[in-house]
Amino acid sequence: MLQLETLFIQTLILAQEDGAKSSFQSLLIIPIMLVAMYFLVILPNKKEEKKRREMITNLQKGDTVVTNSGIHGKVVEFKDNNETVVLAVSANTNVTFETSAILKKKA
């Protein structure tokens, strides 16, 4: 990220020094920033979401999971065509969650 900021500052300095090239360099910085944003933000998020979806599809009864609200529980059953999951959070307490609320699987 620091290299990206340095590149941006250098481009601005060059643009101020040479008026004829400034419009071209100003137009060039926008695609560079978009490409950098894609590789630094969007692509890693896509990979992480893909791994999370894969983990959710591979859940089985008996797996211990953590929800996005921080509740720890053991998978008891799946309902509604795997749209919801029932978690046992204590001896006599079962709670139903959307499957999308599962954050991670505990080892």
Side-chain angles (χ1 to χ4, degrees), residues 37-53:
M37 181 182 288
Y38 178 78
F39 283 108
L40 294 174
V41 177
I42 297 170
L43 193 61
N45 283 346
K46 280 185 177 182
K47 287 181 180 179
E48 187 175 322
E49 182 61 26
K50 182 179 178 184
K51 283 175 35 179
R52 188 176 159 279
R53 272 189 267 121

Side-chain angles (χ1 to χ4, degrees), residues 35-102:
V35 169
M37 181 182 288
Y38 178 78
F39 283 108
L40 294 174
V41 177
I42 297 170
L43 193 61
N45 283 346
K46 280 185 177 182
K47 287 181 180 179
E48 187 175 322
E49 182 61 26
K50 182 179 178 184
K51 283 175 35 179
R52 188 176 159 279
R53 272 189 267 121
E54 213 173 276
M55 181 270 306
I56 288 174
T57 57
N58 292 330
L59 280 178
Q60 299 176 356
K61 293 179 183 179
D63 288 341
T64 304
V65 296
V66 179
T67 67
N68 56 10
S69 59
I71 297 175
H72 297 243
K74 185 177 281 192
V75 176
V76 176
E77 67 177 305
F78 294 95
K79 292 184 178 179
D80 301 329
N81 199 19
N82 291 341
E83 291 295 317
T84 58
V85 61
V86 178
L87 300 180
V89 293
S90 68
N92 295 323
T93 307
N94 291 343
V95 182
T96 303
F97 287 95
E98 293 288 324
T99 307
S100 60
I102 304 297

Side-chain angles (χ1 to χ4, degrees), residues 15-35:
Q16 290 175 351
E17 291 176 356
D18 191 7
K21 294 182 182 179
S22 67
S23 63
F24 176 71
Q25 289 177 344
S26 296
L27 292 175
L28 187 62
I29 193 74
I30 294 171
I32 291 172
M33 296 293 282
L34 291 174
V35 169

